[in-house]
Amino acid sequence: MVEEPGRTVVLLAGEIDVALRAHASLALSTALRRDLPVVVDAAGVTFADSGGIAFLIQFRALGSEGLDVTFRALPPAIVDVLDILGVRDEFACAA
């Protein structure tokens, strides 16, 4: 996670899974505390299990509660799962 002036960037890389729980909690609480726009950059993700998808959905929920949350570079494996779940359109992606 990078705390930039004016926004928080959550950088995801490698496997995002249940082992990410502690880091996910920290990222979510930091984003809430800072109350600035959030960019979730998933360009480096190689795998996501249900825990990783849940993490993304939690960030999306923050967006629906008023925090500006944008997703960047969601890999095909994640997009496919979001399509299956029927929530792909809820994930605003930046270029």
Side-chain angles (χ1 to χ4, degrees), residues 15 38 48 81 85-86 90:
E15 297 181 1
V38 175
V81 173
L85 294 173
E90 297 176 26

Side-chain angles (χ1 to χ4, degrees), residues 16-27:
I16 56 171
D17 54 25
V18 72
L20 186 71
R21 183 178 296 274
H23 295 292
S25 294
L26 176 62

